[in-house]
């Protein structure tokens, strides 16, 4: 009787072990599937966020282009100097917003750098209040113009 009990208990242990292994395998399989789905969802969310950011960036750049069209019309060229300075300042502010929105995107940075070069004279003559801009943007201005903040900013001690 003791042998039969030992054999039965061994058989039960084997069945429990097999069932436990099967459950472990199924749990691992479900976990892998869950991780794959989660990865896909995150990837989709990143793509969606990138598309949204790009759409906002394009919108800002279109506003910038509209402003530049106004600045370059013959009627506006004859406008008061003060009005032109405000428009130039607004253009630089739009470029900073675009820079902050697309930070790290090399294509956008190249476009922003090109646009900033168009405002080089304004920036150097008027010297920006750099406290109003992000420190990253001020560093980017230094890079674009190959100059230190003190030559671009009225308040260079407080910049960046």
């Amino acid at each position: 009787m003791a042998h039969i009990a030992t054999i039965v208990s061994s058989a039960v242990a084997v069945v429990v072990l097999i069932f436990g292994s099967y459950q472990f395998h199924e749990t691992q399989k479900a976990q892998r599937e869950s991780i794959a789905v989660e990865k896909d969802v995150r990837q989709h969310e990143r793509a969606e966020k990138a598309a949204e950011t790009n759409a906002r960036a394009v919108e800002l750049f279109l506003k910038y282009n509209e402003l530049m069209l106004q600045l370059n019309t013959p009627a506006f060229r004859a406008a008061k100097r003060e009005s032109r300075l405000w428009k130039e300042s607004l253009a630089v502010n739009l470029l900073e917003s675009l820079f902050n929105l697309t930070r790290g995107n090399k294509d956008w940075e190249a476009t922003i750098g090109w646009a900033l070069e168009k405002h080089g004279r304004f920036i150097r003559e008027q010297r920006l209040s750099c406290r109003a801009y992000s420190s990253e943007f001020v560093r980017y201005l230094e890079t674009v113009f190959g100059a230190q903040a003190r030559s671009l900013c009225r308040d260079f001690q407080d910049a960046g």
Side-chain angles (χ1 to χ4, degrees):
M1 200 57 143
H3 291 304
I4 294 176
T6 303
I7 292 173
V8 169
S9 65
S10 296
V12 168
V14 168
V15 169
V16 168
L17 183 64
I18 290 172
F19 184 72
S21 295
Y22 173 76
Q23 287 294 332
F24 178 78
H25 175 71
E26 289 300 311
T27 302
Q28 290 296 313
K29 182 176 157 186
Q31 186 71 22
R32 283 191 294 274
E33 290 171 0
S34 175
I35 290 170
V37 167
E38 190 175 321
K39 182 180 174 185
D40 288 345
V41 167
R42 279 197 210 126
Q43 188 174 11
H44 179 71
E45 287 173 350
R46 277 193 300 270
E48 195 172 281
K49 183 178 179 186
E52 183 180 312
T53 298
N54 197 46
R56 284 189 281 160
V58 168
E59 186 179 319
L60 273 175
F61 197 65
L62 288 173
K63 287 179 182 180
Y64 169 80
N65 283 329
E66 289 172 13
L67 182 62
M68 293 311 298
L69 286 173
Q70 289 177 15
L71 279 171
N72 292 323
T73 60
F76 196 82
R77 288 182 186 197
K80 290 183 180 179
R81 184 175 190 270
E82 184 178 321
S83 179
R84 183 165 182 82
L85 292 179
W86 278 104
K87 295 268 185 173
E88 289 258 12
S89 181
L90 177 58
V92 172
N93 284 327
L94 282 171
L95 291 172
E96 184 216 11
S97 295
L98 187 58
F99 174 82
N100 289 336
L101 181 64
T102 61
R103 189 174 299 137
N105 183 315
K106 298 299 179 192
D107 293 331
W108 274 111
E109 283 185 9
T111 301
I112 295 164
W114 168 83
L116 281 169
E117 288 173 0
K118 304 292 181 196
H119 301 285
R121 181 176 172 195
F122 166 78
I123 291 170
R124 284 190 171 99
E125 288 178 3
Q126 296 303 309
R127 295 180 67 205
L128 303 174
S129 176
C130 290
R131 285 181 292 171
Y133 298 97
S134 68
S135 58
E136 294 87 359
F137 184 69
V138 173
R139 283 194 296 275
Y140 187 67
L141 285 171
E142 290 175 321
T143 301
V144 168
F145 293 110
Q148 292 184 344
R150 74 173 54 94
S151 67
L152 304 172
C153 304
R154 290 185 290 246
D155 51 2
F156 70 90
Q157 294 90 351
D158 297 325

